[in-house]
Amino acid sequence: MFIPRVMLLTFLTNVLAILSLASAFSQQAASRPTGIASRVPFTHVRSLSSPLWSSSKSGTDSPSLSVSLKGELLGLIPERPFGAPSTNLTTNATIIQRIEETVAALEPLSPFPNLTNSTAALEVLGGDWQLLYSDASEITRITKLPLGFRLGPVFQPINVEKSLFENQALIKHRFFLVSGHTRVMANFWLAPIGETNRAGIVNFGARANVKFQRVIFSLRRFLILPTWGKIRKTAIPNGPSEQKGIIPSIDITYLDDELRISRGGDGSLFILIRADGKDGRKKPMPMLTCDASDFVVPDSAPTYNASVDILPSGSPEDIKK
């Protein structure tokens, strides 16, 4: 089938624009204002889960209660087409209330509270995670993409040893005409104890600060033809947080081998499960490294502001030093 070059280029540009919308969540998912502080290596964690929502554990704290609440929570979250996460805009109000109540009951029961330099907790944090539910605006704004595109699974693989993580979002067309993905690569480290975020929550050791390094938009398949990652765009993140000199952060409020609950700086909710490939579950793409030669970002690379840009279009001179 012959496709005029201009039409093909226009279509591919639109696809990359759709992918950029998906990367908006990836760049902003942890972009919650906190006070700027000096970096502390994440391997020096005092506590991964802390009494952010409760000063002490209740007498009903027990493994059986945690298991019961986890089962209830996972049963409440609706499944979405293409494996996309549910949000407060795709879930009815009654279910949303029950999700929030169950999360609030489960958060104080995290099995890793007030741990100092816990190797076990670090090992649990590391690995592959998949987003099941969020009420964050950066997630809800991409639940309905234009031109027949649909958000697919959203993953977050974490390498604790190297203090790296990726936010990965897969995009598919409803008629399977094209598919692609975005990656946002980032470093993270432990936030200072006592730091207060925009929601007024004091950090007792469960907060990680984030530095986004690069955004990669890739077209995986066009019609029936794989692209082998040859059609891609790499940019330097330069969103509102970077421009204002604000360090994004995320609080881990519940953590075990299978489930992770996190809160943004404004209290927005993220519920993730282990993406281990078991029981037919999907797994994320293997993580890249910040020194991967194929994805080195030159100083002349365009910048990308997820809040306003359709495609990377900013100048490196716009980045706040």
Side-chain angles (χ1 to χ4, degrees):
M1 179 176 62
F2 174 72
I3 302 177
R5 183 178 180 184
V6 173
M7 291 179 61
L8 178 60
L9 291 176
T10 300
F11 179 76
L12 293 179
T13 299
N14 287 333
V15 170
L16 288 174
I18 297 298
L19 292 175
S20 74
L21 289 176
S23 76
F25 106 86
S26 301
Q27 185 179 341
Q28 296 177 1
S31 297
R32 307 299 185 187
T34 64
I36 297 177
S38 59
R39 300 190 180 192
V40 180
F42 198 78
T43 51
H44 293 167
V45 172
R46 279 191 64 218
S47 169
L48 285 175
S49 294
S50 61
L52 289 175
W53 315 99
S54 173
S55 59
S56 63
K57 289 194 171 186
S58 67
T60 58
D61 176 16
S62 67
S64 60
L65 179 58
S66 296
V67 170
S68 175
L69 289 171
K70 284 169 54 179
E72 180 180 352
L73 177 61
L74 296 178
L76 286 170
I77 299 174
E79 293 186 5
R80 297 284 299 162
F82 298 100
S86 295
T87 73
N88 56 317
L89 297 186
T90 63
T91 308
N92 71 60
T94 300
I95 297 298
I96 291 173
Q97 182 177 356
R98 291 181 62 189
I99 288 174
E100 293 174 349
E101 291 173 349
T102 306
V103 166
L106 186 58
E107 283 174 318
L109 305 182
S110 177
F112 296 105
N114 303 321
L115 299 179
T116 302
N117 297 325
S118 172
T119 301
L122 288 171
E123 291 177 352
V124 170
L125 178 63
D128 299 334
W129 299 89
Q130 180 177 354
L131 182 66
L132 289 187
Y133 177 87
S134 180
D135 59 7
S137 60
E138 60 270 15
I139 305 297
T140 59
R141 70 188 289 250
I142 59 171
T143 54
K144 294 184 179 180
L145 297 173
L147 303 177
F149 286 91
R150 298 291 185 268
L151 178 65
V154 173
F155 295 106
Q156 187 181 72
I158 300 175
N159 186 325
V160 172
E161 181 179 353
K162 295 183 178 180
S163 297
L164 299 174
F165 74 87
E166 287 185 12
N167 288 331
Q168 302 177 359
L170 277 65
I171 302 297
K172 298 181 179 181
H173 194 272
R174 61 182 301 184
F175 299 122
F176 304 99
L177 299 178
V178 67
S179 65
H181 61 78
T182 64
R183 299 177 188 252
V184 178
M185 303 172 66
N187 299 101
F188 63 100
W189 64 94
L190 182 66
I193 303 296
E195 179 183 87
T196 302
N197 64 13
R198 188 170 55 160
I201 304 300
V202 177
N203 175 34
F204 291 97
R207 184 170 302 160
N209 285 340
V210 174
K211 170 64 177 177
F212 295 110
Q213 298 291 348
R214 71 194 71 181
V215 186
I216 302 170
F217 314 96
S218 299
L219 185 66
R220 302 178 67 184
R221 186 177 293 273
F222 176 63
L223 299 179
I224 62 172
L225 303 175
T227 67
W228 293 283
K230 299 300 182 181
I231 301 178
R232 64 173 180 257
K233 187 77 171 180
T234 304
I236 303 171
N238 190 33
S241 295
E242 287 84 1
Q243 293 178 22
K244 296 177 181 179
I246 294 173
I247 298 178
S249 70
I250 197 80
D251 289 346
I252 303 168
T253 59
Y254 181 91
L255 176 67
D256 67 21
D257 291 326
E258 302 173 335
L259 179 70
R260 194 178 100 221
I261 300 173
S262 300
R263 299 274 186 173
D266 61 354
S268 55
L269 177 63
F270 301 88
I271 302 174
L272 304 94
I273 59 168
R274 183 73 68 182
D276 52 15
K278 296 179 181 178
D279 300 325
R281 296 176 185 171
K282 294 184 179 294
K283 296 189 66 175
M285 297 172 288
M287 290 182 66
L288 302 173
T289 60
C290 281
D291 58 356
S293 58
D294 287 345
F295 296 97
V296 170
V297 181
D299 293 337
S300 59
T303 61
Y304 177 69
N305 182 346
S307 65
V308 297
D309 288 340
I310 298 299
L311 288 173
S313 58
S315 168
E317 286 75 22
D318 296 334
I319 297 178
K320 183 179 181 66
K321 302 297 184 181

PDB file of all heavy atoms in Angstrom, residues 28-34 52-53 134-136 138 197-201 207 248-253 261-270:
ATOM      1  N   GLN A  28       5.888  14.496  35.379  1.00  0.00           N
ATOM      2  CA  GLN A  28       5.296  15.252  36.471  1.00  0.00           C
ATOM      3  C   GLN A  28       4.819  14.392  37.625  1.00  0.00           C
ATOM      4  O   GLN A  28       4.464  14.908  38.675  1.00  0.00           O
ATOM      5  CB  GLN A  28       4.103  16.063  35.947  1.00  0.00           C
ATOM      6  CG  GLN A  28       4.501  17.117  34.928  1.00  0.00           C
ATOM      7  CD  GLN A  28       3.289  17.838  34.379  1.00  0.00           C
ATOM      8  OE1 GLN A  28       2.167  17.565  34.762  1.00  0.00           O
ATOM      9  NE2 GLN A  28       3.515  18.761  33.479  1.00  0.00           N
ATOM     10  N   ALA A  29       4.840  13.053  37.470  1.00  0.00           N
ATOM     11  CA  ALA A  29       4.235  12.194  38.486  1.00  0.00           C
ATOM     12  C   ALA A  29       4.829  12.382  39.861  1.00  0.00           C
ATOM     13  O   ALA A  29       4.166  12.216  40.868  1.00  0.00           O
ATOM     14  CB  ALA A  29       4.353  10.721  38.079  1.00  0.00           C
ATOM     15  N   ALA A  30       6.087  12.756  39.931  1.00  0.00           N
ATOM     16  CA  ALA A  30       6.713  13.030  41.223  1.00  0.00           C
ATOM     17  C   ALA A  30       6.957  14.511  41.415  1.00  0.00           C
ATOM     18  O   ALA A  30       7.595  14.912  42.381  1.00  0.00           O
ATOM     19  CB  ALA A  30       8.034  12.275  41.345  1.00  0.00           C
ATOM     20  N   SER A  31       6.458  15.336  40.487  1.00  0.00           N
ATOM     21  CA  SER A  31       6.770  16.757  40.515  1.00  0.00           C
ATOM     22  C   SER A  31       5.868  17.501  41.481  1.00  0.00           C
ATOM     23  O   SER A  31       5.004  18.270  41.083  1.00  0.00           O
ATOM     24  CB  SER A  31       6.647  17.357  39.114  1.00  0.00           C
ATOM     25  OG  SER A  31       7.560  16.774  38.254  1.00  0.00           O
ATOM     26  N   ARG A  32       6.074  17.282  42.740  1.00  0.00           N
ATOM     27  CA  ARG A  32       5.297  17.936  43.777  1.00  0.00           C
ATOM     28  C   ARG A  32       6.231  18.821  44.578  1.00  0.00           C
ATOM     29  O   ARG A  32       7.255  18.379  45.078  1.00  0.00           O
ATOM     30  CB  ARG A  32       4.665  16.905  44.701  1.00  0.00           C
ATOM     31  CG  ARG A  32       3.877  15.852  43.947  1.00  0.00           C
ATOM     32  CD  ARG A  32       2.748  16.465  43.178  1.00  0.00           C
ATOM     33  NE  ARG A  32       1.921  15.449  42.555  1.00  0.00           N
ATOM     34  CZ  ARG A  32       0.944  15.714  41.723  1.00  0.00           C
ATOM     35  NH1 ARG A  32       0.670  16.940  41.395  1.00  0.00           N
ATOM     36  NH2 ARG A  32       0.236  14.747  41.197  1.00  0.00           N
ATOM     37  N   PRO A  33       5.921  20.120  44.702  1.00  0.00           N
ATOM     38  CA  PRO A  33       6.858  21.042  45.320  1.00  0.00           C
ATOM     39  C   PRO A  33       7.236  20.672  46.744  1.00  0.00           C
ATOM     40  O   PRO A  33       6.387  20.382  47.577  1.00  0.00           O
ATOM     41  CB  PRO A  33       6.083  22.373  45.293  1.00  0.00           C
ATOM     42  CG  PRO A  33       5.103  22.219  44.181  1.00  0.00           C
ATOM     43  CD  PRO A  33       4.727  20.778  44.180  1.00  0.00           C
ATOM     44  N   THR A  34       8.522  20.684  47.010  1.00  0.00           N
ATOM     45  CA  THR A  34       9.050  20.545  48.357  1.00  0.00           C
ATOM     46  C   THR A  34      10.200  21.516  48.489  1.00  0.00           C
ATOM     47  O   THR A  34      10.674  22.083  47.515  1.00  0.00           O
ATOM     48  CB  THR A  34       9.584  19.119  48.614  1.00  0.00           C
ATOM     49  OG1 THR A  34      10.681  18.880  47.737  1.00  0.00           O
ATOM     50  CG2 THR A  34       8.513  18.076  48.367  1.00  0.00           C
ATOM     51  N   LEU A  52       3.650   8.436  58.458  1.00  0.00           N
ATOM     52  CA  LEU A  52       3.208   9.685  57.861  1.00  0.00           C
ATOM     53  C   LEU A  52       1.751   9.964  58.199  1.00  0.00           C
ATOM     54  O   LEU A  52       1.343  11.099  58.327  1.00  0.00           O
ATOM     55  CB  LEU A  52       3.359   9.610  56.343  1.00  0.00           C
ATOM     56  CG  LEU A  52       4.799   9.628  55.825  1.00  0.00           C
ATOM     57  CD1 LEU A  52       4.780   9.414  54.318  1.00  0.00           C
ATOM     58  CD2 LEU A  52       5.479  10.936  56.164  1.00  0.00           C
ATOM     59  N   TRP A  53       0.970   8.911  58.317  1.00  0.00           N
ATOM     60  CA  TRP A  53      -0.467   9.084  58.501  1.00  0.00           C
ATOM     61  C   TRP A  53      -0.920   8.619  59.874  1.00  0.00           C
ATOM     62  O   TRP A  53      -2.077   8.679  60.204  1.00  0.00           O
ATOM     63  CB  TRP A  53      -1.211   8.319  57.417  1.00  0.00           C
ATOM     64  CG  TRP A  53      -0.597   8.563  56.093  1.00  0.00           C
ATOM     65  CD1 TRP A  53       0.275   7.747  55.430  1.00  0.00           C
ATOM     66  CD2 TRP A  53      -0.736   9.722  55.271  1.00  0.00           C
ATOM     67  NE1 TRP A  53       0.665   8.319  54.264  1.00  0.00           N
ATOM     68  CE2 TRP A  53       0.055   9.531  54.137  1.00  0.00           C
ATOM     69  CE3 TRP A  53      -1.471  10.905  55.390  1.00  0.00           C
ATOM     70  CZ2 TRP A  53       0.144  10.462  53.130  1.00  0.00           C
ATOM     71  CZ3 TRP A  53      -1.380  11.836  54.380  1.00  0.00           C
ATOM     72  CH2 TRP A  53      -0.581  11.617  53.276  1.00  0.00           C
ATOM     73  N   SER A 134      -4.607   5.893  40.198  1.00  0.00           N
ATOM     74  CA  SER A 134      -4.116   7.186  40.663  1.00  0.00           C
ATOM     75  C   SER A 134      -5.188   8.237  40.458  1.00  0.00           C
ATOM     76  O   SER A 134      -5.996   8.154  39.529  1.00  0.00           O
ATOM     77  CB  SER A 134      -2.849   7.604  39.894  1.00  0.00           C
ATOM     78  OG  SER A 134      -2.387   8.865  40.349  1.00  0.00           O
ATOM     79  N   ASP A 135      -5.201   9.229  41.355  1.00  0.00           N
ATOM     80  CA  ASP A 135      -6.076  10.379  41.174  1.00  0.00           C
ATOM     81  C   ASP A 135      -5.283  11.639  40.845  1.00  0.00           C
ATOM     82  O   ASP A 135      -5.812  12.747  40.882  1.00  0.00           O
ATOM     83  CB  ASP A 135      -6.941  10.608  42.419  1.00  0.00           C
ATOM     84  CG  ASP A 135      -6.109  10.853  43.680  1.00  0.00           C
ATOM     85  OD1 ASP A 135      -4.865  10.978  43.594  1.00  0.00           O
ATOM     86  OD2 ASP A 135      -6.711  10.910  44.774  1.00  0.00           O
ATOM     87  N   ALA A 136      -4.002  11.472  40.494  1.00  0.00           N
ATOM     88  CA  ALA A 136      -3.158  12.609  40.156  1.00  0.00           C
ATOM     89  C   ALA A 136      -3.562  13.184  38.802  1.00  0.00           C
ATOM     90  O   ALA A 136      -3.868  12.437  37.864  1.00  0.00           O
ATOM     91  CB  ALA A 136      -1.688  12.194  40.136  1.00  0.00           C
ATOM     92  N   GLU A 138      -1.880  14.480  36.453  1.00  0.00           N
ATOM     93  CA  GLU A 138      -1.033  14.117  35.327  1.00  0.00           C
ATOM     94  C   GLU A 138      -1.366  12.744  34.775  1.00  0.00           C
ATOM     95  O   GLU A 138      -1.015  12.413  33.642  1.00  0.00           O
ATOM     96  CB  GLU A 138       0.455  14.172  35.710  1.00  0.00           C
ATOM     97  CG  GLU A 138       0.858  13.255  36.845  1.00  0.00           C
ATOM     98  CD  GLU A 138       0.743  13.929  38.194  1.00  0.00           C
ATOM     99  OE1 GLU A 138       0.092  14.981  38.287  1.00  0.00           O
ATOM    100  OE2 GLU A 138       1.324  13.399  39.158  1.00  0.00           O
ATOM    101  N   ASN A 197       6.008  18.995  52.864  1.00  0.00           N
ATOM    102  CA  ASN A 197       5.600  19.191  51.480  1.00  0.00           C
ATOM    103  C   ASN A 197       4.383  20.103  51.398  1.00  0.00           C
ATOM    104  O   ASN A 197       3.897  20.623  52.417  1.00  0.00           O
ATOM    105  CB  ASN A 197       5.340  17.842  50.791  1.00  0.00           C
ATOM    106  CG  ASN A 197       4.168  17.074  51.412  1.00  0.00           C
ATOM    107  OD1 ASN A 197       3.384  17.619  52.198  1.00  0.00           O
ATOM    108  ND2 ASN A 197       4.050  15.814  51.041  1.00  0.00           N
ATOM    109  N   ARG A 198       3.874  20.271  50.184  1.00  0.00           N
ATOM    110  CA  ARG A 198       2.778  21.212  49.965  1.00  0.00           C
ATOM    111  C   ARG A 198       1.499  20.785  50.679  1.00  0.00           C
ATOM    112  O   ARG A 198       0.658  21.623  51.027  1.00  0.00           O
ATOM    113  CB  ARG A 198       2.523  21.352  48.462  1.00  0.00           C
ATOM    114  CG  ARG A 198       1.529  22.439  48.110  1.00  0.00           C
ATOM    115  CD  ARG A 198       1.490  22.703  46.633  1.00  0.00           C
ATOM    116  NE  ARG A 198       1.219  21.504  45.852  1.00  0.00           N
ATOM    117  CZ  ARG A 198       0.762  21.551  44.601  1.00  0.00           C
ATOM    118  NH1 ARG A 198       0.539  22.712  44.032  1.00  0.00           N
ATOM    119  NH2 ARG A 198       0.557  20.437  43.940  1.00  0.00           N
ATOM    120  N   ALA A 199       1.345  19.469  50.900  1.00  0.00           N
ATOM    121  CA  ALA A 199       0.165  18.967  51.610  1.00  0.00           C
ATOM    122  C   ALA A 199       0.302  19.121  53.117  1.00  0.00           C
ATOM    123  O   ALA A 199      -0.606  18.752  53.861  1.00  0.00           O
ATOM    124  CB  ALA A 199      -0.073  17.504  51.254  1.00  0.00           C
ATOM    125  N   GLY A 200       1.450  19.643  53.570  1.00  0.00           N
ATOM    126  CA  GLY A 200       1.665  19.831  55.001  1.00  0.00           C
ATOM    127  C   GLY A 200       2.147  18.582  55.712  1.00  0.00           C
ATOM    128  O   GLY A 200       2.148  18.537  56.941  1.00  0.00           O
ATOM    129  N   ILE A 201       2.594  17.569  54.952  1.00  0.00           N
ATOM    130  CA  ILE A 201       3.066  16.317  55.536  1.00  0.00           C
ATOM    131  C   ILE A 201       4.562  16.410  55.808  1.00  0.00           C
ATOM    132  O   ILE A 201       5.345  16.734  54.924  1.00  0.00           O
ATOM    133  CB  ILE A 201       2.774  15.125  54.605  1.00  0.00           C
ATOM    134  CG1 ILE A 201       1.284  15.044  54.284  1.00  0.00           C
ATOM    135  CG2 ILE A 201       3.265  13.823  55.221  1.00  0.00           C
ATOM    136  CD1 ILE A 201       0.403  14.863  55.494  1.00  0.00           C
ATOM    137  N   ARG A 207      10.299   9.736  52.204  1.00  0.00           N
ATOM    138  CA  ARG A 207      10.239  10.600  51.017  1.00  0.00           C
ATOM    139  C   ARG A 207      11.497  10.483  50.176  1.00  0.00           C
ATOM    140  O   ARG A 207      12.610  10.510  50.694  1.00  0.00           O
ATOM    141  CB  ARG A 207      10.020  12.056  51.444  1.00  0.00           C
ATOM    142  CG  ARG A 207       9.850  13.038  50.287  1.00  0.00           C
ATOM    143  CD  ARG A 207       9.392  14.387  50.813  1.00  0.00           C
ATOM    144  NE  ARG A 207       8.133  14.223  51.543  1.00  0.00           N
ATOM    145  CZ  ARG A 207       7.665  15.093  52.434  1.00  0.00           C
ATOM    146  NH1 ARG A 207       8.360  16.187  52.719  1.00  0.00           N
ATOM    147  NH2 ARG A 207       6.512  14.859  53.040  1.00  0.00           N
ATOM    148  N   PRO A 248      11.242  17.726  42.709  1.00  0.00           N
ATOM    149  CA  PRO A 248      10.079  16.855  42.846  1.00  0.00           C
ATOM    150  C   PRO A 248      10.323  15.785  43.910  1.00  0.00           C
ATOM    151  O   PRO A 248      11.470  15.414  44.182  1.00  0.00           O
ATOM    152  CB  PRO A 248       9.946  16.219  41.456  1.00  0.00           C
ATOM    153  CG  PRO A 248      10.723  17.111  40.551  1.00  0.00           C
ATOM    154  CD  PRO A 248      11.839  17.667  41.373  1.00  0.00           C
ATOM    155  N   SER A 249       9.241  15.266  44.488  1.00  0.00           N
ATOM    156  CA  SER A 249       9.384  14.238  45.515  1.00  0.00           C
ATOM    157  C   SER A 249       8.167  13.336  45.547  1.00  0.00           C
ATOM    158  O   SER A 249       7.120  13.667  44.978  1.00  0.00           O
ATOM    159  CB  SER A 249       9.602  14.874  46.898  1.00  0.00           C
ATOM    160  OG  SER A 249       8.413  15.505  47.342  1.00  0.00           O
ATOM    161  N   ILE A 250       8.317  12.195  46.209  1.00  0.00           N
ATOM    162  CA  ILE A 250       7.227  11.251  46.384  1.00  0.00           C
ATOM    163  C   ILE A 250       7.377  10.592  47.745  1.00  0.00           C
ATOM    164  O   ILE A 250       8.490  10.323  48.192  1.00  0.00           O
ATOM    165  CB  ILE A 250       7.223  10.195  45.255  1.00  0.00           C
ATOM    166  CG1 ILE A 250       5.889   9.453  45.176  1.00  0.00           C
ATOM    167  CG2 ILE A 250       8.388   9.233  45.396  1.00  0.00           C
ATOM    168  CD1 ILE A 250       4.819  10.200  44.461  1.00  0.00           C
ATOM    169  N   ASP A 251       6.264  10.370  48.460  1.00  0.00           N
ATOM    170  CA  ASP A 251       6.266   9.689  49.754  1.00  0.00           C
ATOM    171  C   ASP A 251       5.776   8.255  49.581  1.00  0.00           C
ATOM    172  O   ASP A 251       4.730   8.027  48.965  1.00  0.00           O
ATOM    173  CB  ASP A 251       5.352  10.401  50.758  1.00  0.00           C
ATOM    174  CG  ASP A 251       5.916  11.725  51.228  1.00  0.00           C
ATOM    175  OD1 ASP A 251       7.105  11.973  51.004  1.00  0.00           O
ATOM    176  OD2 ASP A 251       5.145  12.510  51.817  1.00  0.00           O
ATOM    177  N   ILE A 252       6.521   7.304  50.129  1.00  0.00           N
ATOM    178  CA  ILE A 252       6.108   5.904  50.115  1.00  0.00           C
ATOM    179  C   ILE A 252       5.390   5.630  51.433  1.00  0.00           C
ATOM    180  O   ILE A 252       6.021   5.596  52.488  1.00  0.00           O
ATOM    181  CB  ILE A 252       7.313   4.971  49.951  1.00  0.00           C
ATOM    182  CG1 ILE A 252       8.066   5.318  48.674  1.00  0.00           C
ATOM    183  CG2 ILE A 252       6.874   3.509  49.952  1.00  0.00           C
ATOM    184  CD1 ILE A 252       9.422   4.665  48.568  1.00  0.00           C
ATOM    185  N   THR A 253       4.086   5.424  51.379  1.00  0.00           N
ATOM    186  CA  THR A 253       3.307   5.298  52.613  1.00  0.00           C
ATOM    187  C   THR A 253       2.954   3.866  52.969  1.00  0.00           C
ATOM    188  O   THR A 253       2.534   3.594  54.086  1.00  0.00           O
ATOM    189  CB  THR A 253       2.010   6.122  52.509  1.00  0.00           C
ATOM    190  OG1 THR A 253       1.244   5.657  51.398  1.00  0.00           O
ATOM    191  CG2 THR A 253       2.346   7.598  52.315  1.00  0.00           C
ATOM    192  N   ILE A 261       2.127   1.835  47.963  1.00  0.00           N
ATOM    193  CA  ILE A 261       1.255   3.005  47.934  1.00  0.00           C
ATOM    194  C   ILE A 261       2.126   4.236  48.131  1.00  0.00           C
ATOM    195  O   ILE A 261       2.948   4.283  49.048  1.00  0.00           O
ATOM    196  CB  ILE A 261       0.173   2.931  49.030  1.00  0.00           C
ATOM    197  CG1 ILE A 261      -0.702   1.684  48.826  1.00  0.00           C
ATOM    198  CG2 ILE A 261      -0.688   4.192  49.023  1.00  0.00           C
ATOM    199  CD1 ILE A 261      -1.688   1.444  49.957  1.00  0.00           C
ATOM    200  N   SER A 262       1.943   5.224  47.259  1.00  0.00           N
ATOM    201  CA  SER A 262       2.738   6.446  47.341  1.00  0.00           C
ATOM    202  C   SER A 262       1.822   7.654  47.290  1.00  0.00           C
ATOM    203  O   SER A 262       0.691   7.583  46.782  1.00  0.00           O
ATOM    204  CB  SER A 262       3.754   6.516  46.186  1.00  0.00           C
ATOM    205  OG  SER A 262       4.634   5.416  46.212  1.00  0.00           O
ATOM    206  N   ARG A 263       2.326   8.769  47.824  1.00  0.00           N
ATOM    207  CA  ARG A 263       1.589  10.034  47.830  1.00  0.00           C
ATOM    208  C   ARG A 263       2.458  11.129  47.230  1.00  0.00           C
ATOM    209  O   ARG A 263       3.634  11.260  47.556  1.00  0.00           O
ATOM    210  CB  ARG A 263       1.223  10.433  49.261  1.00  0.00           C
ATOM    211  CG  ARG A 263       0.338   9.445  49.989  1.00  0.00           C
ATOM    212  CD  ARG A 263      -1.122   9.682  49.708  1.00  0.00           C
ATOM    213  NE  ARG A 263      -1.997   8.824  50.512  1.00  0.00           N
ATOM    214  CZ  ARG A 263      -3.322   8.946  50.540  1.00  0.00           C
ATOM    215  NH1 ARG A 263      -3.918   9.877  49.835  1.00  0.00           N
ATOM    216  NH2 ARG A 263      -4.048   8.118  51.277  1.00  0.00           N
ATOM    217  N   GLY A 264       1.848  11.922  46.347  1.00  0.00           N
ATOM    218  CA  GLY A 264       2.542  13.095  45.829  1.00  0.00           C
ATOM    219  C   GLY A 264       2.582  14.195  46.866  1.00  0.00           C
ATOM    220  O   GLY A 264       1.961  14.098  47.924  1.00  0.00           O
ATOM    221  N   GLY A 265       3.292  15.243  46.550  1.00  0.00           N
ATOM    222  CA  GLY A 265       3.440  16.346  47.492  1.00  0.00           C
ATOM    223  C   GLY A 265       2.137  17.053  47.813  1.00  0.00           C
ATOM    224  O   GLY A 265       2.043  17.749  48.825  1.00  0.00           O
ATOM    225  N   ASP A 266       1.132  16.879  46.958  1.00  0.00           N
ATOM    226  CA  ASP A 266      -0.185  17.472  47.220  1.00  0.00           C
ATOM    227  C   ASP A 266      -1.167  16.438  47.749  1.00  0.00           C
ATOM    228  O   ASP A 266      -2.367  16.694  47.836  1.00  0.00           O
ATOM    229  CB  ASP A 266      -0.738  18.112  45.946  1.00  0.00           C
ATOM    230  CG  ASP A 266      -0.922  17.111  44.818  1.00  0.00           C
ATOM    231  OD1 ASP A 266      -0.518  15.942  44.995  1.00  0.00           O
ATOM    232  OD2 ASP A 266      -1.457  17.500  43.761  1.00  0.00           O
ATOM    233  N   GLY A 267      -0.660  15.241  48.093  1.00  0.00           N
ATOM    234  CA  GLY A 267      -1.517  14.198  48.630  1.00  0.00           C
ATOM    235  C   GLY A 267      -2.116  13.274  47.594  1.00  0.00           C
ATOM    236  O   GLY A 267      -2.860  12.358  47.939  1.00  0.00           O
ATOM    237  N   SER A 268      -1.812  13.479  46.312  1.00  0.00           N
ATOM    238  CA  SER A 268      -2.350  12.614  45.268  1.00  0.00           C
ATOM    239  C   SER A 268      -1.880  11.181  45.476  1.00  0.00           C
ATOM    240  O   SER A 268      -0.806  10.925  46.011  1.00  0.00           O
ATOM    241  CB  SER A 268      -1.945  13.114  43.879  1.00  0.00           C
ATOM    242  OG  SER A 268      -0.531  13.244  43.792  1.00  0.00           O
ATOM    243  N   LEU A 269      -2.713  10.242  45.037  1.00  0.00           N
ATOM    244  CA  LEU A 269      -2.545   8.836  45.385  1.00  0.00           C
ATOM    245  C   LEU A 269      -2.041   8.022  44.196  1.00  0.00           C
ATOM    246  O   LEU A 269      -2.519   8.180  43.073  1.00  0.00           O
ATOM    247  CB  LEU A 269      -3.885   8.278  45.865  1.00  0.00           C
ATOM    248  CG  LEU A 269      -3.968   6.795  46.211  1.00  0.00           C
ATOM    249  CD1 LEU A 269      -3.045   6.461  47.380  1.00  0.00           C
ATOM    250  CD2 LEU A 269      -5.419   6.426  46.534  1.00  0.00           C
ATOM    251  N   PHE A 270      -1.086   7.116  44.464  1.00  0.00           N
ATOM    252  CA  PHE A 270      -0.581   6.178  43.471  1.00  0.00           C
ATOM    253  C   PHE A 270      -0.571   4.784  44.098  1.00  0.00           C
ATOM    254  O   PHE A 270       0.037   4.585  45.148  1.00  0.00           O
ATOM    255  CB  PHE A 270       0.843   6.541  43.025  1.00  0.00           C
ATOM    256  CG  PHE A 270       0.973   7.916  42.429  1.00  0.00           C
ATOM    257  CD1 PHE A 270       1.212   9.021  43.237  1.00  0.00           C
ATOM    258  CD2 PHE A 270       0.874   8.106  41.061  1.00  0.00           C
ATOM    259  CE1 PHE A 270       1.335  10.283  42.705  1.00  0.00           C
ATOM    260  CE2 PHE A 270       0.995   9.369  40.510  1.00  0.00           C
ATOM    261  CZ  PHE A 270       1.227  10.471  41.326  1.00  0.00           C
TER     262      PHE A 270
END
